[in-house]
Amino acid sequence: MKKTYILSLFLSIGTFLILSHVLFQLTSYLHPVVLVVVWFCIYMFYLISLLLIRKESIQLSYSLFLTFILFYTIGLLILLFLRPNDQSYDSINLIPFSTIAFYLSGKVDFLISLYNLAANIGLFLPYGILLRVNRASLLKIIIVPFAGITAIELLQFFTHRGSLDIDDLLLNLLGIYVGCWLFPLFRKIVKIPSL
């Protein structure tokens, strides 16, 4: 098991270094903590992949799981709200799929499009898993994410730390629901005794 952690660490650092030039360009307008979040996501990708390949699992207490979610949330809030002041965040898009269509139109560099769409989905996966770990009802799985992400979008707009975009809401919700869908895979590799 220790080999899996070490191998994941080396693979994630190597991948991060190889992609660093591109990552620095893609994230230059964001708080530097985004690079830590990106590296952590790469590390988790390798760790999960190796755990599945080797048919290993991690024992994790519920409180430790919540601690990981708390630190992840702090990192995400820094990413969402502590942005450089030299940018304008006054745009509003209330037309569903228009921003997504713009990114997919080919008018934007492919890597920028991929990063923006994938980040809006991928960064919210853990919250879908959290909902399933807590055995949330279907009603909570629908209402809580919608209310939470709507609040984030409005706060970003009113604090001038992000634009108000319905497509961000849709992509973030998709991320949460993909996280819910991936929960059976999560349970294969993460064993929480209280579940």
Side-chain angles (χ1 to χ4, degrees), residues 136-148:
S137 67
L138 182 59
L139 188 61
K140 279 186 182 175
I141 288 175
I142 293 169
I143 292 174
V144 171
F146 181 81

Side-chain angles (χ1 to χ4, degrees), residues 5-142:
Y5 292 125
I6 293 170
L7 183 56
S8 299
L9 182 63
F10 282 118
L11 288 170
S12 63
I13 290 171
T15 302
F16 186 84
L17 290 174
I18 291 168
L19 298 175
S20 63
H21 180 68
V22 173
L23 291 173
F24 285 114
Q25 286 180 334
L26 290 175
T27 60
S28 62
Y29 66 98
L30 299 171
H31 192 280
V33 79
V34 72
L35 294 171
V36 176
V37 173
V38 168
W39 170 80
F40 180 75
C41 291
I42 294 169
Y43 174 76
M44 291 308 295
F45 169 77
Y46 281 119
L47 180 61
I48 290 167
S49 299
L50 289 171
L51 287 170
L52 286 170
I53 291 167
R54 295 177 169 203
K55 297 184 177 161
E56 296 175 341
S57 63
I58 299 170
Q59 293 290 327
L60 201 62
S61 70
Y62 180 71
S63 60
L64 188 56
F65 171 73
L66 288 181
T67 302
F68 282 130
I69 294 290
L70 174 65
F71 280 111
Y72 183 81
T73 301
I74 291 168
L76 187 60
L77 290 173
I78 290 169
L79 172 66
L80 294 173
F81 288 99
L82 296 180
R83 296 180 175 195
N85 291 324
D86 60 346
Q87 295 184 17
S88 173
Y89 296 109
D90 296 330
S91 66
I92 297 176
N93 170 40
L94 300 177
I95 302 168
F97 306 108
S98 66
T99 302
I100 295 170
F102 174 69
Y103 279 127
L104 297 175
S105 70
K107 296 175 185 173
V108 179
D109 182 82
F110 172 76
L111 285 175
I112 293 172
S113 297
L114 178 66
Y115 172 78
N116 279 288
L117 296 174
N120 271 306
I121 296 169
L123 289 173
F124 285 82
L125 290 173
Y127 300 106
I129 292 170
L130 175 64
L131 286 168
R132 293 290 304 274
V133 165
N134 288 326
R135 297 185 177 110
S137 67
L138 182 59
L139 188 61
K140 279 186 182 175
I141 288 175
I142 293 169

